[in-house]
Amino acid sequence: MVKSMLEANSLPNPVTVPLSNRSYEIRFYQNITDIANDVKAHAAEDVVVISNSVVWDLYGKSLETSLESAGLTIATWLMGDGEKFKSVETASLAWDFLVERKFSRKTCIVAFGGGVVGDLAGFVAATYLRGVPFIQIPTTVVAMVDSSVGGKTGVDHPLGKNLIGAFYQPKLVAMSMSLLATLDKHNLQGGFAEVIKYGIIYDADFFSWLEKNLERAMALEPDAIAHVVRRSCEIKADVVGQDEQESGLRAILNYGHTFGHAIEALGEYKETQFHGQAVAIGMVCAADMAVVLGLMPDADRDRIEALVARAGLPRHLEADMNVEAVYDRMFSDKKVSAGKVHFVLPTRIGHVELKGDVTKESVLEVLRGRRLK
């Protein structure tokens, strides 16, 4: 387990996701028990907490007790732990639970877990009775800095990741970094792939800060991890506020994901290679692609690879992964348009562009160069 020092005396100020009448706040709390009153403000009747047994065994009783103390009626539904449970089959089981117990449109669904729980619970909330309120309480780095913010909900399909889903915004994202104290090393490292992404796509100063402070942040030193989470949320909120449904700017958030989703799917969502690890490989591949196409200098690519390596993240495909299969799998991605795969490629640290004119030969060259010998 990661040792933490989360006794910070001050908390980051709330971050607003500006979406007109769908705007909401990302709020920060010292402890999970501090969240209850804000949950109650958005829950007119019952609360259904969707979580998994790993998270629930660690923190469920504390959350349940605090919510009940605030006068809320709580029901709990636990799903399996892992990407393979982010499926239509799991969503159907959750719908069964809600229907059988006759929960109404005033029921508030609370997603209490990492990215898989949040995506699944949000999709269930978006579709049950054509939409009920929901709140995100993320428990992992990747959920805090990325998946809990922005309203992307959904499930995976055998032919591709996140192909079934909806844009559906939460009423509140409630973060307590004390929940990271029990996060295992693999999940911690995977979450930092998304953190590094924000520096590459949007904020060169943040990337430079990470170069100086990465180890402190990954050790969960209070000021460092608070800055990482808040700055990541600020960047995502800014992008989502300008482009909620990915018609333009929001596509930059997919940096590393075109390669990464294909790698993750071909790896069959193995527990040894989580989403963040696949995205890390994808980010380095995209940086390689930018160099091959003459868009970015070698020095910036080297900085990206060095920071990814310092985070303990992989930078290479497994030796037995078929690069042609990776390329083919990219065409199942949501980012395919008019028969072309669109890549988010950096031109310098802090700025990326969307490219749809990348040849198959260039893609395969990059993949072969990143495959372990």
Side-chain angles (χ1 to χ4, degrees), residues 141-150 194 197-198 236 257 275:
V141 174
V142 70
M144 288 185 183
V145 305
D146 184 61
S147 59
S148 69
V149 179
E194 300 286 358
K197 176 191 77 175
Y198 288 119
K236 183 146 192 193
H257 288 62
H275 174 68

Side-chain angles (χ1 to χ4, degrees), residues 30-45:
Q30 194 70 53
N31 299 298
I32 189 176
T33 52
D34 301 331
I35 294 171
N37 286 332
D38 284 342
V39 172
K40 186 177 181 180
H42 296 285
E45 292 183 357

Side-chain angles (χ1 to χ4, degrees), residues 3-313:
K3 293 183 179 180
S4 65
M5 299 186 296
L6 298 174
E7 298 84 13
N9 294 320
S10 60
L11 293 169
N13 294 323
V15 174
T16 298
V17 182
L19 293 168
S20 187
N21 63 336
R22 295 180 310 288
S23 297
Y24 56 94
E25 285 191 329
I26 305 163
R27 300 186 65 86
F28 302 90
Y29 306 82
Q30 194 70 53
N31 299 298
I32 189 176
T33 52
D34 301 331
I35 294 171
N37 286 332
D38 284 342
V39 172
K40 186 177 181 180
H42 296 285
E45 292 183 357
D46 308 288
V47 170
V48 175
V49 180
I50 295 181
S51 188
N52 64 44
S53 59
V54 175
V55 173
W56 196 254
D57 287 348
L58 288 168
Y59 300 111
K61 194 61 181 177
S62 295
L63 179 65
E64 184 177 52
T65 299
S66 63
L67 292 176
E68 288 177 343
S69 296
L72 293 167
T73 301
I74 311 301
T76 304
W77 187 80
L78 301 182
M79 60 182 286
D81 181 36
E83 186 77 28
K84 65 184 178 181
F85 292 102
K86 201 172 90 173
S87 65
V88 172
E89 291 77 15
T90 303
S92 183
L93 293 173
W95 292 322
D96 290 346
F97 177 84
L98 296 168
V99 171
E100 288 166 1
R101 287 157 182 77
K102 298 181 173 60
F103 287 108
S104 76
R105 282 183 173 162
K106 294 184 178 180
T107 298
C108 180
I109 289 178
V110 173
F112 184 44
V116 170
V117 169
D119 285 0
L120 187 287
F123 180 59
V124 169
T127 50
Y128 180 64
L129 301 179
R130 297 191 176 91
V132 298
F134 90 107
I135 290 170
Q136 291 268 20
I137 305 179
T139 62
T140 64
V141 174
V142 70
M144 288 185 183
V145 305
D146 184 61
S147 59
S148 69
V149 179
K152 277 189 176 181
T153 72
V155 296
D156 297 334
H157 185 276
L159 295 180
K161 187 177 171 68
N162 296 328
L163 294 181
I164 314 298
F167 288 97
Y168 193 68
Q169 302 296 340
K171 299 296 184 182
L172 169 72
V173 181
M175 298 194 185
S176 174
M177 277 161 275
S178 64
L179 296 170
L180 300 179
T182 53
L183 195 63
D184 64 273
K185 183 178 179 181
H186 200 64
N187 271 296
L188 178 71
Q189 291 171 334
F192 267 83
E194 300 286 358
V195 172
I196 293 169
K197 176 191 77 175
Y198 288 119
I200 298 168
I201 68 172
Y202 209 72
D203 189 346
D205 289 341
F206 184 46
F207 189 92
S208 296
W209 184 93
L210 288 169
E211 289 180 310
K212 296 180 179 71
N213 296 280
L214 181 68
E215 285 74 20
R216 292 180 56 236
M218 294 189 73
L220 303 183
E221 292 188 19
D223 63 328
I225 191 63
H227 178 66
V228 159
V229 173
R230 190 180 199 281
R231 184 61 190 136
S232 298
C233 289
E234 285 175 339
I235 292 169
K236 183 146 192 193
D238 191 22
V239 172
V240 170
Q242 296 177 67
D243 178 20
E244 181 181 5
Q245 297 197 7
E246 206 171 295
S247 59
L249 178 65
R250 186 168 179 167
I252 71 173
L253 297 173
N254 294 321
Y255 175 67
H257 288 62
T258 302
F259 286 102
H261 281 171
I263 293 165
E264 187 180 8
L266 285 174
E268 298 178 341
Y269 308 118
K270 292 176 182 175
E271 301 305 312
T272 54
Q273 182 175 273
F274 293 170
H275 174 68
Q277 280 70 17
V279 167
I281 299 169
M283 291 196 302
V284 178
C285 285
D288 286 345
M289 179 69 69
V291 171
V292 167
L293 297 179
L295 301 174
M296 185 175 72
D298 287 11
D300 281 0
R301 186 269 312 279
D302 294 345
R303 287 177 67 193
I304 290 169
E305 183 169 5
L307 193 58
V308 168
R310 280 174 56 193
L313 290 161

